[in-house]
Amino acid sequence: MLKSLDLTGKVAVVIGGTSGIGKTMSIGLAEAGADVVPCSRRLDAAEPVAAEIEKHGRRTLRLAADVADRSSLIAARDQILEKFGRIDILINSAGRIKRTPVLDLPEEEWSAIIDTNLTGTLRACQVFAPPMLAQGWGRIVNLASLNSFVALFEVAAYAASKAGVAGLTRALAVEWGSRGVNVNAIAPGVFRTALNQQLLDGTERGRELKMRTPLKRFGNVEELVGAAVFLSSDAASFVNGEILVVDGGFLASGVNQ
């Protein structure tokens, strides 16, 4: 491995790190050498991911943390600092989405999606950044989306939240970069997970998403690990405020046939 990509000795926290993209990133960071703490709202969900991390010879903790509950984030941070003495990397992967036409969109649903995806990212950054700022080195990687750049049909709240994540990422990069903490984001394209497999494989929406992806396939979540490791490492020492798109060419696409 290129030495600057080696995460040995680093301590990473992955919010939303027990399922889907977050789970894959948790294990990928461990494979790159980091000690990794995957957090989610349910403590039982952390157990199998933590066990996988330990199989790679890395240290971890079983913790629950909810981005909607600042006190749970603070409690998790304090336990991590007590165990490891430092926090170097934060991955913000928690998120929610619901398809609803705008005229039928309840304000409560809008607020819940914004609170999880955007305000939740802010809360996690506010809670976990201070130890990084104090030591003068840190990496924060937020999860943006294709919706940070373009709108997808009938997911207005999600699109607004992810456009906000892109803006927040740039704002924090400007504010914290001079203090040694680089803040970037990954914008995944269309990746098959257990939650969206039926949508992607059995609907016109899924067929359109594949048609608009020049590689003519959906992504495998493992294909996001390289971007996560890179942005978490010394190899990205001069990368700050960037939204790294991993989408198979979706955003580059115009006419595909």
Side-chain angles (χ1 to χ4, degrees), residues 18-19 38-48 62-66:
T18 63
S19 63
C39 298
S40 72
R41 289 177 295 174
R42 291 175 29 242
L43 184 59
D44 63 307
E47 172 57 38
R62 279 80 168 159
L63 296 178
D66 184 352

Side-chain angles (χ1 to χ4, degrees), residues 44 46 49 68 78 84 86 91 110 118 120 132 171 183 211-212:
D44 63 307
V49 186
D78 291 348
F84 299 111
R86 60 188 297 120
I91 309 285
W110 168 277
L118 179 55
M132 303 184 202
V183 186
M211 180 271 291
R212 293 191 58 186

Side-chain angles (χ1 to χ4, degrees), residues 112-183:
I113 291 172
I114 295 292
D115 187 63
T116 296
N117 297 355
L118 179 55
T119 311
T121 297
L122 171 66
R123 288 190 193 101
C125 289
Q126 288 178 322
V127 168
F128 287 94
M132 303 184 202
L133 294 166
Q135 70 194 14
W137 196 99
R139 298 286 187 267
I140 296 176
V141 182
N142 298 322
L143 262 292
S145 167
L146 295 177
N147 283 268
S148 300
F149 304 94
V150 297
L152 303 186
F153 190 62
E154 293 184 341
V155 287
Y158 184 78
S161 72
K162 290 300 185 177
V165 167
L168 176 63
T169 297
R170 288 187 284 264
L172 296 180
V174 170
E175 192 163 336
W176 293 342
S178 64
R179 301 173 65 184
V181 177
N182 293 21
V183 186

